Amino acid sequence: MTAELNFSTASTEPQHRSSRWNAVIAESYFPLELQFRDPIRFDGRLRRTSLGHVGLSRLTSDPVNYERRRAHIREAREEEYLITLPRVSTVEFRQLGRDVRCDPGGFIIERGDEPYRFMYEKPNDLYVLKVGRKALEERVRQPDRFCARVFDATSGTAGLFATMVEQAQLQSGSLAVAAAETVGRHLLELLGLMIDEASDASTSSVSTVRAAHIARAEKFIRTNLKNPDLSPDLIAESCGISKRYLHDLFKDVNGTVSQQIRDQRLVAARDRLAATPGLAIAEVAYRFGFSDQAQFSRLFKTKFGMTPTDFKSIAT
């Protein structure tokens, strides 16, 4: 993730404000084509921090038109997403042939590997989260389905997510590295839960029932990763469905129940290693249901491309 930054155009000479803002935006998110209503008088502030796998920034500025073009995407090294929460005025967004307007109290998800246009005609204050595809896909199945769509963040899980984003931004300067990692992980978990709920509400008939059962099973898995008795039997019983139906449901997501349990445990163990590097690998493995450290290390390397020991050396 990008390093800490606190930038204001107030410290920049008027003739350089637009080019300097363009450079800060490219560094914080990715390269974009910017159009300013008044480049000389433009006023903008951007504060950016890192929360583990999540980059969090607060952007306050006069009206700007941001455009992501094919030429920008050809230079991209990693697929990334932006989750944007406007706080003062409406933003207009176009991507994948969809045009949406997002008012304060909502948020949108933007794909960085597809062209888009993003603008606001009045001064705005926005929170923006930057997340890599891999980190998002660990919590959200096929996240591309939810891009260029407005989510209501005024209540429920989405409201809690928006509140946590605001509090994380306010407190980010006082958070230790381990605490920041934990906050970033919780933000991703809340985002995943919220999108699951929105997905359930937007589908229909039989698919709605199946999606709801899958979401319920995945939520149960995530909240019981430390339970050594976590198994398909326990999940099915807790969700009020048969084990056969449970296994059938996970065919919809190209996997098995056991794979889901194992993968979620590995993700949680990796995040714990990053957040608390002082913990022994064996202790982390045991906490998340792996009784054999050798097996844990082997599975960890298969999923993440490195051993837990190598990951700890990089994380610290």
Side-chain angles (χ1 to χ4, degrees), residues 78-92:
E78 180 186 359
E79 295 181 27
E80 296 172 307
Y81 294 80
L82 301 181
I83 297 95
T84 302
L85 299 84
R87 306 179 66 240
V88 172
S89 62
T90 299
V91 300
E92 297 181 17

Side-chain angles (χ1 to χ4, degrees), residues 67-285:
E67 189 171 351
R68 181 81 163 149
R69 297 181 175 177
R70 290 286 181 192
H72 299 133
I73 296 167
R74 285 196 292 268
E75 304 296 325
R77 297 181 181 179
E78 180 186 359
E79 295 181 27
E80 296 172 307
Y81 294 80
L82 301 181
I83 297 95
T84 302
L85 299 84
R87 306 179 66 240
V88 172
S89 62
T90 299
V91 300
E92 297 181 17
F93 182 67
R94 176 178 177 80
Q95 187 173 55
L96 302 170
R98 304 173 198 152
D99 290 280
V100 299
R101 290 173 56 88
C102 183
D103 297 322
F107 68 87
I108 54 176
I109 301 176
E110 306 140 47
R111 280 180 63 177
D113 64 336
E114 283 287 339
Y116 70 72
R117 182 172 177 267
F118 179 97
M119 64 173 293
Y120 40 95
E121 296 184 343
K122 297 180 180 180
N124 217 335
D125 184 7
L126 312 102
Y127 292 137
V128 183
L129 285 75
K130 181 181 178 183
V131 186
R133 171 181 283 274
K134 186 176 181 180
L136 189 59
E137 284 185 330
E138 288 173 348
R139 280 85 176 180
V140 179
R141 294 191 311 277
Q142 300 175 334
D144 294 349
R145 295 178 295 155
F146 305 101
C147 294
R149 171 177 166 183
V150 177
F151 292 89
D152 181 2
T154 57
S155 62
T157 306
L160 180 60
F161 168 73
T163 299
M164 188 172 179
V165 169
E166 180 176 11
Q167 289 302 311
Q169 199 280 327
L170 291 172
Q171 302 296 328
S172 60
S174 61
L175 293 177
V177 173
E181 292 264 2
T182 301
V183 170
R185 185 171 67 254
H186 288 329
L187 282 172
L188 286 176
E189 294 290 349
L190 274 176
L191 179 64
L193 288 173
M194 182 280 305
I195 289 178
D196 277 344
E197 292 175 359
S199 177
D200 294 344
S202 65
T203 53
S204 61
S205 68
V206 175
S207 63
T208 301
V209 176
R210 292 181 70 87
H213 282 309
I214 291 173
R216 193 176 301 114
E218 289 181 333
K219 183 185 297 186
F220 185 82
I221 290 170
R222 284 193 295 266
T223 56
N224 288 274
L225 293 176
K226 296 181 182 179
N227 183 351
D229 296 324
L230 183 62
S231 66
D233 292 283
L234 180 60
I235 298 167
E237 180 182 353
S238 300
C239 294
I241 58 178
S242 70
K243 188 168 73 169
R244 180 177 179 179
Y245 182 55
L246 177 70
H247 285 298
D248 184 56
L249 286 172
F250 275 82
K251 292 178 183 178
D252 291 352
V253 292
N254 298 318
T256 67
V257 183
S258 297
Q259 286 172 345
Q260 180 75 0
I261 294 171
R262 183 185 65 221
D263 287 349
Q264 289 296 329
R265 280 176 164 165
L266 287 168
V267 169
R270 180 203 61 191
D271 291 347
R272 181 58 59 85
L273 285 172
T276 52
L279 280 178
I281 291 173
E283 184 177 352
V284 174

